[in-house]
Amino acid sequence: MAHCAIHPSILSADFVNLERELGRIRGADAVHVDVMDNHFVPNLTLGLPVVKRIAESTQLPIDAHLMIEDADHWAPRYAELGLASVTFHAEAARAPIKLARDLRSNGAKAGMALRPATSVLPYLDMLPELDLLLIMTVEPGFGGQSFLDLTLPKIRTAARAAADADLDLAIQVDGGISLETIERAAEAGATVFVAGSAVYGAESPEDAVAALRRTAGSAAGGTPRTSSE
Ligand code: DX5
Ligand code: ZN
């Protein structure tokens, strides 16, 4: 059974009780923190000082997803906090290769995200610069949206390119991940799964994490299907 990582998104948690909410996902592989600036996406969440306190308040690795403009300037500031991974959006970066190198040199895994309508094809040559490729499976900005099946060919293309080049690249999916959709994403080649409402909307977030991991693990296993993007 392939190893699949589950990263609960605290966007669906109670923001007034973040420390308690972090304690409800102890079995997770990392905590996914959504940073939004009301410019790159039409929503506003939290910034550097709060992410710093979250990192100080949990043993879990922090997976920061930056939905913000001017990523070239801001993303390295997040890496300096000692986060496990920092993911910027390709659409918000002027020099993505330089930025990915900056993140790695600050000790963070370098992640790059693509909105649903952004093709992965122009970025295939730079995959060796990344540790994580985040394929958004909803339009970024809000939790609780429906999974977009039109992103599946892109997941397959990216997973195939990474396998062909023998890269150690995590393929992350984010948006609309549930017990129902996680199988399709895993079969297509995703290896890291962000889930907000499916985890924090459950009676037991811990049990939800375990169930998602089991379902993804049994759906993965096979090799990614032929690319069709
Ligand atoms: C949306 C965020 C997601 C969000 C996912 O822009 O990037 O991380 O929390 O929430 P669900 O799992 O409810 O779609
Ligand atoms: Zn996210």
Side-chain angles (χ1 to χ4, degrees):
M1 189 155 121
H3 180 72
C4 295
I6 308 295
H7 294 192
S9 163
I10 53 161
L11 188 60
S12 300
D14 177 0
F15 270 27
V16 175
N17 293 294
L18 280 181
E19 193 166 22
R20 190 190 69 200
E21 295 287 71
L22 290 165
R24 297 171 76 203
I25 52 163
R26 281 196 200 94
D29 296 279
V31 51
H32 182 86
V33 178
D34 290 301
V35 176
M36 304 185 190
D37 66 354
N38 196 35
H39 291 274
F40 183 73
V41 288
N43 196 5
L44 185 68
T45 54
L46 36 78
L48 270 173
V50 180
V51 176
K52 181 167 183 280
R53 287 295 295 132
I54 291 170
E56 288 164 356
S57 310
T58 178
Q59 304 283 328
L60 289 171
I62 307 289
D63 158 31
H65 175 195
L66 307 183
M67 286 159 274
I68 58 176
E69 299 286 4
D70 203 6
D72 306 69
H73 171 72
W74 287 107
R77 306 289 85 78
Y78 285 85
E80 286 163 6
L81 296 179
L83 310 185
S85 63
V86 175
T87 300
F88 61 88
H89 266 267
E91 305 87 352
R94 282 188 204 95
I97 296 170
K98 177 181 182 299
L99 179 50
R101 291 182 180 187
D102 279 357
L103 295 176
R104 282 178 166 176
S105 69
N106 276 295
K109 287 188 176 164
M112 189 177 77
L114 303 174
R115 301 181 86 128
T118 303
S119 173
V120 71
L121 298 180
Y123 299 100
L124 292 181
D125 288 343
M126 70 164 283
L127 293 182
E129 303 288 336
L130 301 172
D131 302 294
L132 184 159
L133 180 71
L134 167 50
I135 295 177
M136 287 304 298
T137 45
V138 299
E139 285 291 355
F142 300 92
Q145 303 180 72
S146 298
F147 182 86
L148 292 169
D149 279 280
L150 60 81
T151 60
L152 289 169
K154 180 160 51 178
I155 299 169
R156 289 190 196 103
T157 300
R160 174 58 54 112
D164 287 351
D166 203 19
L167 299 178
D168 187 11
L169 178 73
I171 309 274
Q172 185 178 74
V173 285
D174 181 9
I177 297 295
S178 66
L179 280 176
E180 193 254 322
T181 59
I182 199 168
E183 292 188 323
R184 308 207 276 288
E187 277 166 12
T191 53
V192 179
F193 304 85
V194 176
S197 42
V199 170
Y200 278 106
E203 211 164 292
S204 163
E206 294 258 24
D207 291 351
V209 167
L212 287 167
R213 191 185 285 119
R214 247 189 337 265
T215 307
S218 43
T223 44
R225 290 176 195 159
T226 318
S227 137
S228 55
E229 195 190 48

